[in-house]
Amino acid sequence: MNSTLIQKLTDSYHNNSLFIKREDLLPFSLGGNKSRKAEFFFGEMMCGKYDSVVTYGSISSNHCRVISNKANVTGMDCYIISPSEKENMTLNRKMMLFLGAKMIYCDVNNVKQTIDNCMDALRKEGKNPYFIQGGGHGNLGTAAYVECFDEIVEFEKVNNFKFDYIFHASGTGTTQAGLICGKLINNKDTNIVGISIARKNPYGGSVVNESVKEYMKQVNCTPTLFETANFIDKYVLEGYGSSNEYIINTIETVFCKYGIPLDSTYTGKAFWGMEEYIKENMLFNKNLLFLHTGGTPLFFDMLNIK
Ligand SMILES: *Cc1c(COP(=O)(O)O)cnc(C)c1O
């Protein structure tokens, strides 16, 4: 895969240099980290005799949009299990429907059972379904972000330069786990700061740590120093999808100043969290990289509401 763009935004971001890596510009299905992960899942699927794919996600899930699209490309039936929500329609959900994904709605407390039932029913029909965890969680999702970290290392090499910090929106923690594994494998000392968009500690951070361990075990790598994830849960507000005026201001500023769309659920929340973190920890004279994890359709949803 071609590396995504790393661009410098400014040399004067609270007295630091700020760069951004544009995962939102990945070429498939409006990009984002789910697009990078999907390549890995479908790569594995193409090696087996699968004819359908089952996954899980909310009404605003970028993951489910990308999987629906990829299923189309590869000629697989796509089943999306989703909690029945009273929330407004989103562009991601419209795209899932447009792409012909079969929606199965269930109660939030009944997800696992619904997934099992769906897989069983398909198998009884003689189908061979492939299951992807919500958000593309798991070793293959982690592998995708080891690859992304490699791209960052390559950029540093070519430019004879070093990032001190990488900030990004952390959800299931797979993106963060991949970056940490990449760091361990490459023997780097980059600070990786995951700004939680929903989960609280200790659960949120422990999921990242578990994912790191699992992946390192699979690739047979024993790092000399194990890293505990820096999973910051201070900016989740009232949880998934919740927002405030500071986040909205951040989104406006970044779009007006740099022409880059952020959203209030993931990247806008993380960008705001990064700003707070920089002030609080008095970071100074550092090279900062913000990983733009995508979610562009959510930017348009926000414009629609405003
Ligand atoms: C899913 C998602 C995340 C979170 O990624 P995880 O690997 O689940 O932590 C961040 N940003 C965007 C735009 C996403 O869609």
Side-chain angles (χ1 to χ4, degrees):
M1 185 186 288
N2 288 330
S3 246
T4 53
L5 179 70
I6 294 181
Q7 56 181 135
K8 185 190 257 188
L9 293 187
T10 172
D11 270 328
S12 54
Y13 187 72
H14 304 280
N15 300 309
N16 297 283
S17 292
L18 179 62
F19 294 73
I20 189 164
K21 184 165 169 65
R22 304 290 305 274
E23 295 288 282
D24 59 316
L25 298 183
L26 277 164
F28 187 72
S29 197
L30 300 161
N33 63 349
K34 304 315 183 301
S35 188
R36 189 186 283 272
K37 293 180 193 181
E39 294 301 329
F40 283 71
F41 288 107
F42 279 79
E44 179 172 274
M45 243 181 273
M46 292 301 117
C47 296
K49 290 198 168 32
Y50 299 100
D51 47 32
S52 41
V53 54
V54 177
T55 193
Y56 168 78
S58 73
I59 193 164
S60 49
S61 171
N62 294 307
H63 166 71
C64 292
R65 178 237 318 151
V66 172
I67 297 302
S68 305
N69 209 160
K70 201 79 190 158
N72 246 279
V73 171
T74 52
M76 299 225 189
D77 289 334
C78 181
Y79 298 85
I80 307 267
I81 290 146
S82 193
S84 4
E85 289 161 298
K86 287 185 206 71
E87 283 166 54
N88 292 332
M89 193 57 168
T90 65
L91 289 170
N92 275 334
R93 176 58 54 82
K94 281 187 185 171
M95 282 186 269
M96 293 172 216
L97 297 169
F98 179 73
L99 291 161
K102 296 173 183 66
M103 305 299 308
I104 300 167
Y105 301 100
C106 70
D107 192 273
V108 201
N109 303 312
N110 206 16
V111 172
K112 198 183 167 304
Q113 193 58 47
T114 311
I115 291 170
D116 290 347
N117 291 349
C118 176
M119 294 292 284
D120 286 348
L122 286 168
R123 288 194 186 109
K124 270 195 194 124
E125 284 174 33
K127 292 254 173 70
N128 190 21
Y130 182 94
F131 177 65
I132 306 177
Q133 286 192 58
H137 187 60
N139 270 350
L140 286 172
T142 306
Y145 275 82
V146 172
E147 175 190 76
C148 176
F149 192 87
D150 287 342
E151 293 176 10
I152 296 168
V153 171
E154 186 58 29
F155 179 91
E156 290 182 320
K157 241 188 244 163
V158 168
N159 294 286
N160 192 20
F161 167 92
K162 180 177 179 298
F163 288 115
D164 302 298
Y165 284 82
I166 300 172
F167 289 91
H168 68 94
S170 208
T172 68
T174 317
T175 300
Q176 186 165 8
L179 295 173
I180 293 173
C181 291
K183 165 184 169 169
L184 294 172
I185 292 164
N186 286 285
N187 249 323
K188 291 276 181 180
D189 63 358
T190 328
N191 292 289
I192 296 161
V193 187
I195 306 289
S196 174
I197 52 94
R199 287 179 182 169
K200 298 291 270 183
N201 280 322
Y203 176 65
S206 71
V207 174
V208 181
N209 293 331
E210 281 311 305
S211 302
V212 171
K213 274 186 210 146
E214 233 172 76
Y215 182 83
M216 296 304 275
K217 199 167 125 201
Q218 190 200 284
V219 296
N220 254 328
C221 185
T222 328
T224 39
L225 246 178
F226 225 92
E227 162 131 349
T228 306
N230 195 5
F231 184 87
I232 306 296
D233 68 357
K234 233 179 143 171
Y235 309 109
V236 300
L237 306 175
E238 284 80 50
Y240 184 79
S242 64
S243 173
N244 65 18
E245 63 190 290
Y246 302 110
I247 294 175
I248 303 301
N249 280 342
T250 302
I251 296 172
E252 270 175 18
T253 307
V254 171
F255 194 61
C256 294
K257 235 176 158 171
Y258 307 113
I260 298 172
L262 302 176
D263 74 274
S264 56
T265 302
Y266 299 103
T267 54
K269 200 180 235 185
F271 206 98
W272 167 65
M274 168 175 76
E275 192 147 311
E276 294 298 308
Y277 185 97
I278 290 167
K279 285 190 258 174
E280 209 160 295
N281 293 277
M282 292 186 282
L283 302 191
F284 181 80
N285 245 337
K286 303 285 187 210
N287 291 321
L288 315 176
L289 179 66
F290 182 78
L291 188 73
H292 191 317
T293 44
T296 303
L298 301 174
F299 169 76
F300 292 105
D301 282 335
M302 183 197 71
L303 288 186
N304 245 340
I305 300 164
K306 279 198 78 144

